[in-house]
Amino acid sequence: MFTEESYPERGFIATDYLKNFVTPGCTNKLHRHPCCGLMVIERGEVAVTAHGNTIRVGGGAVIFHPPGVIYKHFTSSNELYERYRIRFYPELIPSLDEKTREGLSTHSVKQLSHSDFEDVLSLTRMLHKRCQGEGAASLLSVSLLTSLLSLVFSAESREVREPEGYIHKVTEYIRENCQDKLTASDVAK
């Protein structure tokens, strides 16, 4: 049914980075972790299945899994896929605001605004760099993670549209109306 991994050690933050061209449909099995997981999608498109629902997002998205959530993710295009993954135990972070603490208990997928995502990406890169050395449990790493989580859970999501549905509507409109002169304002309708 699903696999379970035990990672990272308690009291530590684990990060990894993946940048690769991947085959569409490349997936992992349903699985869960005893720790929290945050994925920051920089490029590419990924679909996430949890609680029986599948949501597709692209670059500029964050995906959060609390401990014990059974999920899988898969790529849905053959473009460059680039993401960071951060895993940690919630007790590592002693002081969080109420909204962030609440966010740690809920599986969420957010497509962020460009400016919010740039801030999230900047903090993620700093944390990843810090955790590659001896800083995986340092006060600075925990502070960076706390700031990152506060930003992720306070950022507003943009509407996540089903890409195939939206593209299909635009394509159908162009097909139906291409006999006459088609303007950008026509497509925007």
Side-chain angles (χ1 to χ4, degrees), residues 90-123:
E91 64 267 16
L92 181 66
I93 308 163
S95 59
L96 289 173
D97 59 77
E98 189 176 324
K99 189 170 188 170
T100 304
R101 179 74 55 203
E102 184 180 299
L104 287 177
S105 64
T106 307
H107 173 264
S108 62
V109 179
K110 289 183 169 187
Q111 190 76 48
L112 302 181
S113 70
H114 179 74
S115 61
D116 282 346
F117 185 75
E118 288 301 314
D119 291 342
V120 164
L121 187 58
S122 178
L123 286 171

Side-chain angles (χ1 to χ4, degrees), residues 165-175 187:
Y166 177 72
I167 291 170
H168 178 73
K169 287 177 187 175
V170 171
T171 305
E172 285 302 307
Y173 183 85
I174 291 171
R175 260 193 217 123
V187 174

Side-chain angles (χ1 to χ4, degrees), residues 21-22 29 39 46 52 56 67 76 104 106 114 125 136 139 145 154 156 166 169 171 173 181 184 187:
F21 284 95
V22 290
K29 294 179 181 179
M39 289 179 61
V46 65
R56 296 179 197 285
S76 50
L104 287 177
T106 307
H114 179 74
R125 286 176 174 158
L139 182 58
L145 179 60
S154 67
E156 292 299 318
Y166 177 72
K169 287 177 187 175
T171 305
Y173 183 85
K181 186 177 178 180
V187 174

Side-chain angles (χ1 to χ4, degrees), residues 22-31 47 49 71-75:
V22 290
T23 306
C26 184
T27 187
N28 56 9
K29 294 179 181 179
L30 284 172
H31 65 287
T49 300
Y71 73 97
K72 71 176 182 175
H73 61 275
F74 57 93
T75 57

